[in-house]
Amino acid sequence: MRSGSVSILTPKEKNPMPISTKEEDERANSSSAALLSFNRDYSSSDSPPKSVTATVLFVSLVISTSVALCAAIVFGFLFFSASNSSASSVKLDSTVEASRRLAKLKSPVVLLISSDGFRFGYQFKIDTPNINRLIKNGTEAEVGLIPVFPTLTFPNHYSIVTGLYPAYHGIINNYFTDPESGDRFTMHSHEPKWWLGEPLWETVTNHGLKASTYFWPGSEVKKGSWDCPKDYCMFYNGSVPFEERVDTVLKYFDLPSDEIPSFMTLYFEDPDHQGHKVGPDDPQITEAVAGIDKMMGRLIRGLEERGVFEDVNIIMVGDHGMVGTCDKKLIFLDDLAKWIAIPKEWVQSYSPLLAIRPPPGYLSKDVVAKMNEGLKSGSVNNGEYLRVFLKEELPGRLHYSASDRIPPIIGLVDEGFTVEQKRSRRQECGGAHGYDNTFFSMRSIFIAHGPQFARGRKVPSFENVQIYNLVTTILNIQGAPNNGTTSFPQSILLPSR
Ligand SMILES: [Zn+2]
């Protein structure tokens, strides 16, 4: 049974016209019926004496004629508008696109592609004919995909495949320490204990379907029904050329139809890699974007050669954006020493997400108050660009408190600023992400192409936790509970035939 299929069958935009047509018809009928019965009542009323008749007859004739005339005009008007609107609803019905039939594949396939750090707008830096082809013939978040907070690689990739905010899927940062065990999570930690929630590859295999992962944070973790099968689950190795990754994914389409994975991931480190070194506005980024477009071209060509390009649901996303950072935009924790000393041992991460866990004996509330006092004093360099919170007091929209893994004190830095422990003579500019997810610079892309996506459609921006339900709906499987909204897929996907 397709999850949420009932709602998908009734697309939002299809409703208004037919309903209003029906209402118009009824109104037209009842109005005319009332007018007719008025006429009938009048004419069938007790006849007045013949002696008074001529004038009365004449007057009543005039009245009934005008009433009839009015009725005719009203009726005609109502009939005209009713038929007009029913004509347009017929027209609308015939133009509402339904999902397209699969030409070659036996069942739906979703290929989820991530281009790390592909900030929304990068696609305008240079001609990207292949990405443009997907946009033109597919569905795009018009002003980008909204990442979850913190706008970092691991938390966001794992939110995309679980539909959960980091507090619930457990990957609350790229690096963190578990307060209970004292164990340290790094981007190489593959023990299942860190990775909560149910990622798409697990959901897919739970339903007896196949999945393949050409890199994705969390994909090497053996969890539930997912045992990271050989040849279908690649262990991360950043030195594998992008071409090889694309070609491996293409080869899955050469398998017998019942062995083709229903869900595949494909990951590219660019343009994040360059973004950190040189910031978002540098010729190196333009070059990296062109490189990603070339890979999309290679993929499209390969799918076309196999006759499956129109059959595959390609969802191309990025995990977050990128903003320029520079040595003038630094905030040093040591500058707060006059108010409170923050030793580096307390700090779990500096920037852009400042996360502090003071040792026992210190009240987090007092630490926050003293830090903010110093920052607001005007004598801390760039102090006004850092605000420190108890995690429970962070804005609710960040969904960043419901986990013990999140340290009790969180600092939010303004766009482009960096927090460091102590002053240095470092003079450099680069790029960073991890900031508040409302910053436009943190937005990424959502471009989807395939039989379940309308051609040339623009949709409003949405958070990436919605993608999980989108994929399970396309694959016709029941997903695990998550933070996405169940009605979301119907606002993006074409109605099923
Ligand atoms: Zn990055």
Side-chain angles (χ1 to χ4, degrees):
M1 173 64 198
R2 170 183 280 265
S3 64
S5 63
V6 177
S7 49
I8 286 152
L9 290 171
T10 324
K12 232 182 195 171
E13 29 320 18
K14 212 174 154 185
N15 278 333
M17 293 313 281
I19 287 170
S20 76
T21 303
K22 198 166 169 246
E23 281 173 356
E24 291 283 356
D25 282 345
E26 277 166 4
R27 223 176 303 144
N29 289 338
S30 61
S31 319
S32 50
L35 287 163
L36 288 171
S37 76
F38 169 78
N39 284 342
R40 205 165 40 239
D41 285 352
Y42 185 86
S43 57
S44 68
S45 65
D46 290 343
S47 303
K50 273 193 178 169
S51 52
V52 227
T53 54
T55 340
V56 174
L57 205 69
F58 178 70
V59 170
S60 62
L61 198 70
V62 169
I63 291 171
S64 62
T65 311
S66 7
V67 165
L69 207 66
C70 284
I73 291 166
V74 169
F75 188 80
F77 174 75
L78 290 174
F79 179 78
F80 180 73
S81 47
S83 58
N84 220 12
S85 57
S86 73
S88 61
S89 79
V90 167
K91 203 174 140 206
L92 190 85
D93 279 351
S94 65
T95 54
V96 166
E97 221 183 317
S99 61
R100 299 179 287 277
R101 284 201 175 85
L102 298 178
K104 197 170 172 194
L105 294 175
K106 294 277 184 315
S107 50
V109 169
V110 174
L111 170 53
L112 181 63
I113 304 168
S114 165
S115 171
D116 200 314
F118 199 116
R119 171 174 161 166
F120 178 77
Y122 276 2
Q123 69 271 34
F124 307 121
K125 279 181 179 281
I126 191 173
D127 187 26
T128 50
N130 300 298
I131 293 173
N132 284 354
R133 185 171 167 193
L134 298 179
I135 293 172
K136 209 172 135 218
N137 297 297
T139 298
E140 182 193 23
E142 192 166 17
V143 277
L145 178 66
I146 304 169
V148 294
F149 179 81
T151 53
L152 296 166
T153 298
F154 267 51
N156 272 277
H157 274 97
Y158 206 52
S159 284
I160 292 169
V161 293
T162 57
L164 296 169
Y165 291 112
Y168 304 98
H169 67 49
I171 309 303
I172 54 113
N173 203 326
N174 288 341
Y175 305 90
F176 59 90
T177 302
D178 184 284
E180 276 181 29
S181 61
D183 293 348
R184 181 94 172 135
F185 172 86
T186 73
M187 291 190 273
H188 305 287
S189 302
H190 296 145
E191 302 94 328
K193 65 172 182 182
W194 298 111
W195 305 82
L196 314 177
E198 188 182 292
L200 279 166
W201 42 82
E202 190 183 339
T203 307
V204 165
T205 49
N206 279 348
H207 285 82
L209 301 172
K210 288 193 159 54
S212 69
T213 52
Y214 212 121
F215 304 160
W216 202 279
S219 61
E220 300 102 325
V221 181
K222 293 180 181 175
K223 212 163 87 63
S225 59
W226 177 251
D227 59 357
C228 188
K230 191 176 171 289
D231 299 331
Y232 290 89
C233 166
M234 305 300 168
F235 262 70
Y236 183 68
N237 174 0
S239 64
V240 178
F242 291 172
E243 287 84 355
E244 195 179 320
R245 306 180 193 188
V246 171
D247 294 351
T248 304
V249 166
L250 286 172
K251 279 193 190 118
Y252 293 136
F253 291 95
D254 297 330
L255 292 166
S257 58
D258 56 346
E259 283 177 37
I260 299 174
S262 300
F263 174 70
M264 309 179 188
T265 71
L266 175 59
Y267 169 82
F268 304 116
E269 290 84 353
D270 293 359
D272 181 73
H273 173 65
Q274 295 82 355
H276 283 286
K277 288 196 285 183
V278 294
D281 299 303
D282 186 281
Q284 277 192 44
I285 298 294
T286 312
E287 212 181 292
V289 169
I292 291 297
D293 187 68
K294 237 174 101 186
M295 287 308 115
M296 296 308 290
R298 189 180 184 98
L299 176 75
I300 293 170
R301 258 193 326 278
L303 293 172
E304 278 181 329
E305 280 162 19
R306 289 162 176 84
V308 293
F309 174 54
E310 292 295 340
D311 278 4
V312 180
N313 291 286
I314 297 173
I315 301 177
M316 182 186 187
V317 296
D319 51 345
H320 52 71
M322 185 68 66
V323 70
T325 54
C326 240
D327 57 321
K328 278 186 184 157
K329 291 188 167 183
L330 292 173
I331 303 158
F332 304 102
L333 290 187
D334 281 357
D335 287 0
L336 287 169
K338 212 171 108 189
W339 292 270
I340 183 167
I342 309 282
K344 64 177 192 317
E345 293 73 32
W346 295 14
V347 183
Q348 296 226 345
S349 77
Y350 284 92
S351 201
L353 175 69
L354 176 64
I356 297 172
R357 190 184 295 278
Y362 287 86
L363 271 181
S364 296
K365 205 167 126 254
D366 296 344
V367 177
V368 167
K370 282 179 183 153
M371 287 182 78
N372 281 330
E373 196 190 323
L375 292 166
K376 283 183 197 153
S377 68
S379 47
V380 170
N381 194 32
N382 293 322
E384 67 269 39
Y385 299 108
L386 169 64
R387 283 162 303 150
V388 182
F389 296 84
L390 283 174
K391 67 175 176 183
E392 298 80 15
E393 288 169 5
L394 281 168
R397 61 183 170 75
L398 299 175
H399 307 279
Y400 201 63
S401 66
S403 166
D404 289 343
R405 294 177 182 181
I406 301 170
I409 300 172
I410 298 295
L412 297 182
V413 267
D414 264 326
E415 214 171 0
F417 284 83
T418 304
V419 180
E420 290 183 0
Q421 183 71 40
K422 56 174 184 283
R423 288 180 181 277
S424 67
R425 286 213 202 112
R426 201 166 56 89
Q427 295 275 311
E428 61 183 35
C429 295
H433 53 87
Y435 299 90
D436 192 330
N437 62 344
T438 52
F439 294 155
F440 195 67
S441 57
M442 293 299 109
R443 280 202 195 172
S444 192
I445 49 164
F446 173 90
I447 297 162
H449 180 282
Q452 303 229 20
F453 294 99
R455 297 192 191 279
R457 184 165 176 214
K458 305 288 178 203
V459 294
S461 295
F462 55 89
E463 283 189 319
N464 64 19
V465 290
Q466 304 287 7
I467 292 174
Y468 179 90
N469 287 339
L470 197 62
V471 175
T472 56
T473 304
I474 296 172
L475 296 180
N476 209 356
I477 55 177
Q478 182 66 51
N482 63 82
N483 298 125
T485 37
T486 45
S487 59
F488 177 77
Q490 83 184 61
S491 69
I492 298 283
L493 297 175
L494 287 171
S496 309
R497 329 191 127 259

